[in-house]
């Protein structure tokens, strides 16, 4: 699905409170730009707050100044100018305060969701969700200006929130619905009926909240999102030079100004609310400031006075998104767990995780970015994040476990956790990296007031059970009100003699009679409180560790998807590995899967994925993905594959690959050769069809006696597979059959592409086809006879035509190019080899082989009267006629179904590949459905479709072929389709399944004898073909189809499209002359022609003629 158009941000800013986190978060923004979540041209800035407690308002003003400064410099100015805001869309995202359940804050808290439409696979953090909402939902349609968005809440916004920007000026807040009860601890807006904001209440009284209730019974919550017009942003930016507001910016602080803390909503926006008076505003205090001394109050009053002067005249309006939702991410573990789990879910949520025993995960639990090996049990309402655990591990209900590595699994083996929060942290102490662990209860409060608990029990009980003393946690002079969980020195960060692990805290859950050893070890450790731990957190190491674990589980996923043959695309994962700089482990995993595969389909898909990795590494440079794959340097690995030594072949491929990684052009060429290696495995899989080829001996015709095989044409309602080597280059007149893209003589009604390997044996194919005569003729044929000379005489082209290509093979060397499709007579040479008449690898000379078995040689002549590039797939039918004639001339007869499989085998020997629909359509008479199962060996089964009496004649009267005059030149259609199939792109997989399904629906339409239904099938199939192979509809053909549309039930290009024949099912009978008149009036159609078509009820015909007098070589 195509992503809707979003805001093309000029600048995206992420503010953060820690100086050492700026580069970390700058890289995170850049990673998201590489993932295409942020436009490529957007300026990305991670900006440190001037002071840790500068407030959301101060952080906004500072970020706006930084943005204006960068844009001014980019525009060539030497001073900051607000003019740069007039054409800019700026997004400011605030990281906010520390969060007890994620070391990187609420913005980087991972959510239990996946984005199947994302071009690059990645964890979805709250930041990603908000970026998507701002870019594609709230932002579109807004004029230039500044969007500000907090990251401390979970938002849900519909695709079209219905926000009007007509005649907008000032600032606009976005509000989402909440209950009056929820509003008691939150902020709400009071507005008039037109949406003008009258006041903003925080933790308002019951009366104030009731004034805000809307007709739907909800109140408009302060959602943390606001938009400033350019005019208002300029007014706000102007305050950065005026004391005391200059202290909100880094320029003011660098100049020695005293810091001031401002709230975005209760300072900056509140002064714009209609009902707020100057007197009330100046004496008010924002809720995030709390209580303080008179000096602070006076400083804030001065700042508010400046805001009032600059912003009071700016209108403040509200956009209420009634169908959205808002949830503030509190410091309550219960709330946090509730937001990440679905209590009524039928199963566990498993997101970007690999779990060996999924049945051990309870319904209502959540697992995000984890590797769980062995017996790992998770209770309802519990969440696992960023963990690699090896069982036995039992985590009961109500738990959050995060950041544990496999090494910490053993510490959990003896415990059954309930209602606990256990986290592993990356820290840096005096420049040295380390690990620390924290353990708290789900019900513990992180607030500084109220009754304190630890591990869900009062402090008094905790001290009694564990032997821990208050003096262990707090200094003697700490005021009782300050003795709380955030300030308690509970968490060991360094032990004098051993590495730390979760066991340093888990002993507190059930102190054993160990003589106090655990308590002494805990006391011997250097411990920090949660507050002291925050500045020591190594956020770069944390994010790097998460990324490493994500890719480790992703490698398990890739292996599982390939080995289990799941229809899941790995392309987003491939892009992620390449763009984040770690393609090596993925390539190694793909090599391992390919080398160990017992199924050629699995191995071929793994090699195709390697090609995708290499193509992605080229970053769109280095040329087209499709191209030749026969460089001599790659022949050694190819030879291993040809001999069936898969492991050696994969190893040799990898060794050669390492030499081609230095620049994009080499990467693309290496990718082509990996696709070539995959084609070898496809050929070997399709060659299994030879199991179903058998012949019966019959009387050997005498020398000179011709055996003639003729076939009708195959017209396709659904498209043939377009095969590498077929339909490529020009075809001089008279060389029909000289290589493998000539036209078929059957008409495939529905299901094409599904017969194309590997789809035919991985998905299973179903194709409905018709054998037809074109203008009353059976245009494809072959004749063969024995001759006295021990030679092979080959003729390719129309009978009795001077342009016929004539070839004489007197030695095995003359046959060596049988596998080069463009070599003259290659198809005929391959026919002799596949018919068993010649063993090209024998040490016995050709002359001796022919004399020993047949007493002489053979003459074989093939022809097709259809134009080149028609889309009717002649080559497969031509191969079938050649094989049938040769086998009979050699004293054998082959059944039609066996012949279908023999053609599959021949096309693999010829190295053109190809499916089975063409020979099914042309060799078998009438209307039929061919099917192949999703298995090897590849076997095709054919069912005749019975139609109502008289319907065949009715069909003949309504069926026409239009030669478009456009030769199919789309050289790489098949490679593109196979690349998409091996990537398991969702649209291609869905379309392939639809092709098979529609075959059965079309067969039913034939059984009913309904032309309108058949027309619908025809038109629908053409749309499916265009999805399968974009670019297969030339503009001139589209123009022709538009002109013909009013006159037909349905129409489609034959074969894979790109040119050739267009076939029509007309609304009225016998419309050839009428449609010729319609097309004659249309300009720009080129050299087209219309042909009559009739269903052929005979199929392949084989007959023996009399003996010609001369069997001397008629060739030069």
């Amino acid at each position: 699905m195509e992503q809707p158009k979003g805001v093309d941000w000029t600048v995206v800013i992420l503010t953060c409170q820690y100086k050492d986190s700026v580069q970390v978060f700058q890289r995170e923004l850049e990673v998201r730009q590489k993932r295409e979540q942020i436009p490529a041209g957007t300026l990305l800035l991670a900006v440190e707050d001037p002071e840790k407690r500068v407030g959301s308002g101060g952080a906004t003003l500072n970020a706006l100044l930084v943005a204006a400064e960068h844009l001014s410099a980019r525009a060539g100015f030497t001073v900051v100018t607000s003019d740069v805001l007039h054409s800019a869309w700026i997004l400011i995202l605030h990281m906010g305060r520390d969060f007890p359940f994620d070391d990187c804050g609420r913005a980087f808290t991972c959510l239990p969701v996946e984005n199947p439409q994302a071009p690059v696979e990645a964890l979805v953090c709250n930041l990603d969700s908000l970026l998507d909402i701002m870019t594609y939902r709230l932002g579109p349609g807004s004029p230039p200006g500044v969007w500000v968005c907090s990251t401390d809440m979970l938002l849900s916004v519909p695709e079209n929130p219905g926000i009007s920007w007509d005649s907008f000026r000032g600032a606009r807040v976005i509000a989402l619905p909440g209950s009056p009860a929820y509003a008691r601890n939150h902020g709400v807006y009071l507005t008039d009926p037109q949406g003008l904001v009258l006041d903003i209440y925080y933790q308002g009284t019951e009366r104030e909240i009731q004034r805000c209730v809307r007709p739907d019974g909800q109140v408009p919550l302060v959602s943390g999102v606001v938009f400033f017009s350019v005019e208002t942003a300029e007014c706000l930016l102007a305050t950065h030079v005026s004391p005391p507001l200059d202290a909100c910016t880094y320029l003011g602080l660098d100049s020695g100004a005293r810091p001031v803390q401002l709230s975005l909503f209760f300072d900056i926006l509140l002064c714009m609310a209609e009902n707020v008076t100057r007197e009330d505003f100046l004496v008010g205090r924002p809720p995030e400031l709390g209580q303080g001394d008179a000096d602070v109050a006076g400083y804030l009053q001065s700042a508010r006075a400046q805001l009032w002067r600059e912003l009071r005249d700016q209108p403040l309006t509200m956009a209420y998104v009634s169908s959205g939702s808002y949830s503030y991410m509190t410091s309550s573990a219960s709330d946090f767990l509730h937001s990440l789990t679905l209590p009524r879910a039928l199963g566990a949520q498993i997101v970007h995780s690999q779990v060996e025993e999924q049945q051990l995960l309870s319904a209502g639990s959540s697992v995000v970015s984890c590797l769980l090996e062995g017996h790992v049990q998770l209770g309802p309402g519990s969440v696992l994040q960023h963990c690699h655990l090896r069982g036995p591990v039992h985590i009961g209900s109500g738990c959050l476990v995060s950041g544990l590595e496999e090494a910490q699994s053993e510490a959990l083996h003896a415990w059954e956790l309930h209602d606990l929060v256990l986290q592993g942290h990356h820290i840096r102490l005096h420049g040295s990296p380390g690990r620390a662990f924290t353990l708290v209860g789900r019900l513990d409060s992180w607030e500084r007031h109220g009754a304190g608990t630890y591990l869900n029990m009062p402090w008094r009980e905790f001290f009694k059970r564990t032997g821990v003393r208050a003096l262990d946690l707090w200094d003697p002079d700490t005021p009782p009100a300050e003795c709380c969980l955030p300030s308690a020195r509970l968490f060991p960060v360094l032990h004098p003699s051993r590495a730390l692990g979760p066991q340093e805290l888990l002993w507190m859950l059930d102190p054993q009679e160990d003589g106090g050893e655990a308590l002494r070890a805990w006391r011997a450790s250097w411990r920090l409180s949660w507050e002291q731990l925050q500045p020591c957190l190594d956020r770069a190491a944390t994010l790097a560790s998460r990324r490493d674990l994500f890719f480790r589980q992703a490698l398990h996923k890739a292996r599982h998807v390939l080995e289990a043959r799941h229809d899941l695309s790995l392309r987003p994962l491939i892009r992620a590995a390449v763009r984040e700089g770690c393609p090596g482990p993925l390539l190694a995993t793909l090599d391992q899967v390919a080398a160990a595969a017992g199924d050629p389909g699995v191995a071929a898909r793994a090699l195709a994925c390697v090609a995708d990795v290499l193509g992605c590494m080229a970053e769109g440079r280095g040329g087209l993905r499709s191209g030749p794959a026969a460089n001599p340097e790659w022949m050694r690995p190819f030879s291993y594959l040809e001999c069936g030594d898969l492991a050696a072949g994969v190893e040799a491929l990898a060794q050669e690959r390492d030499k081609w990684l230095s620049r994009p052009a080499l990467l693309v060429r290496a990718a082509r050769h990996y696709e070539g290696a995959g084609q070898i495995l496809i050929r070997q899989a399709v060659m299994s069809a030879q199991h179903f080829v058998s012949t019966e001996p019959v009387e050997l015709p005498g020398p000179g006696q011709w055996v003639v095989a003729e076939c009708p044409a195959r017209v396709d309602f659904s498209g043939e597979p377009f095969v590498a080597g077929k339909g490529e280059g020009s075809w001089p007149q008279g060389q029909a059959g000289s290589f493998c893209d000539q036209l078929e003589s059957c008409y495939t009604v529905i299901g094409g592409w599904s017969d194309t390997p590997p789809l035919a044996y991985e998905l299973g194919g179903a194709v409905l086809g018709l054998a037809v005569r074109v203008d009353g003729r059976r245009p494809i044929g072959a004749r063969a006879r024995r001759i006295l000379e021990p030679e092979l005489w080959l003729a390719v082209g129309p009978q009795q035509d001077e342009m016929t290509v004539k070839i004489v093979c007197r030695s095995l060397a003359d046959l060596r190019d049988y596998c080069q499709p463009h070599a003259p007579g290659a198809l005929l040479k391959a026919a002799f080899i596949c018919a068993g008449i010649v063993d090209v690898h024998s040490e016995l000379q050709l002359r001796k082989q022919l004399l020993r078995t047949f007493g002489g040689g053979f003459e074989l002549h093939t022809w097709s009267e259809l134009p080149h590039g028609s889309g009717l797939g002649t080559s497969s039918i031509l191969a079938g006629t050649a094989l049938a004639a040769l086998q009979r001339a050699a004293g054998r007869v082959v059944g039609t179904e066996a012949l279908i499989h023999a053609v599959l085998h021949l096309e693999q020997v010829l190295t053109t590949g190809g499916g089975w629909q063409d020979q099914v359509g042309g060799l078998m008479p009438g209307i039929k459905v061919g099917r192949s199962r999703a298995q090897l060996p590849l076997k095709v089964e054919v069912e005749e479709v019975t139609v109502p009496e008289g319907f065949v004649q009715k069909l003949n009267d309504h069926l026409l072929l239009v030669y478009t005059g456009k030769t199919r030149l789309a050289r790489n259609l098949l490679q593109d389709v196979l690349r998409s199939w091996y990537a398991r792109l969702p649209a291609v997989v869905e379309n392939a399944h639809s092709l098979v399904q529609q075959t059965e629906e079309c067969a039913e339409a034939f059984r009913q004898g309904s032309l309108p239904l058949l027309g619908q099938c025809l038109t629908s199939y053409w749309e499916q073909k265009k999805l399968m192979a974009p670019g297969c509809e030339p503009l001139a053909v589209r123009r022709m189809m538009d002109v013909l549309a009013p006159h037909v039930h349905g129409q489609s290009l034959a074969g894979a499209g790109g040119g050739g024949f267009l076939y029509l099912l007309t609304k009225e009978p016998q419309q050839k002359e009428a449609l010729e008149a319609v097309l004659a009036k249309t300009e720009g159609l080129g050299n087209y022609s219309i042909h009559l078509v009739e269903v052929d009820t005979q199929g392949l015909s084989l007959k023996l003629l009399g003996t010609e007098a001369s069997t001397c070589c008629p060739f030069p």
Side-chain angles (χ1 to χ4, degrees), residues 470-471 474-483 489:
L471 289 176
W474 302 285
D475 293 335
D477 57 350
T478 303
E482 296 294 318
C483 294
R489 294 189 297 271

Side-chain angles (χ1 to χ4, degrees), residues 789-794 807-818 829 832-833 838-850:
E789 288 79 359
E791 302 170 346
L792 303 179
W793 299 348
L794 314 180
I807 304 162
V808 177
C809 297
R810 295 186 172 91
S811 69
L812 291 178
D814 297 329
L815 293 167
R816 298 290 186 199
D817 57 358
Y818 71 91
K829 295 174 183 179
F832 276 102
I833 293 168
V838 174
D839 181 357
V840 74
H841 301 294
S842 173
E843 295 183 0
L844 205 60
Q845 296 176 349
L846 174 64
R847 177 184 183 88
K848 292 182 178 179
Q849 288 187 44
L850 294 173

Side-chain angles (χ1 to χ4, degrees), residues 1016-1037:
Q1016 291 176 21
C1017 290
L1018 201 57
T1019 300
S1020 174
Y1021 180 67
W1022 178 235
E1023 295 303 317
Q1024 290 174 321
K1025 277 199 286 192
K1026 288 192 290 183
L1027 281 174
M1028 209 70 175
C1032 65
E1033 184 181 78
L1035 290 176
V1037 172

Side-chain angles (χ1 to χ4, degrees), residues 997-1041:
Q997 175 62 32
Q998 195 166 355
T999 294
E1000 308 304 334
E1001 295 172 4
C1002 189
E1004 184 58 32
F1006 269 106
R1007 295 186 186 101
Q1008 295 178 20
S1010 171
L1011 291 180
L1013 282 179
L1014 287 177
Q1016 291 176 21
C1017 290
L1018 201 57
T1019 300
S1020 174
Y1021 180 67
W1022 178 235
E1023 295 303 317
Q1024 290 174 321
K1025 277 199 286 192
K1026 288 192 290 183
L1027 281 174
M1028 209 70 175
C1032 65
E1033 184 181 78
L1035 290 176
V1037 172
R1038 180 70 264 168
R1039 190 180 307 119
M1040 180 181 289
M1041 295 176 81

Side-chain angles (χ1 to χ4, degrees), residues 134-165:
M134 298 306 301
T135 304
Y136 297 106
R137 303 195 178 195
L138 293 178
S142 66
V146 179
W147 281 95
V148 183
C149 179
S150 172
T151 61
D152 59 6
M153 71 290 188
L154 299 173
L155 289 188
S156 173
V157 176
E159 289 186 9
N160 184 8
I163 301 174
S164 173
W165 296 97

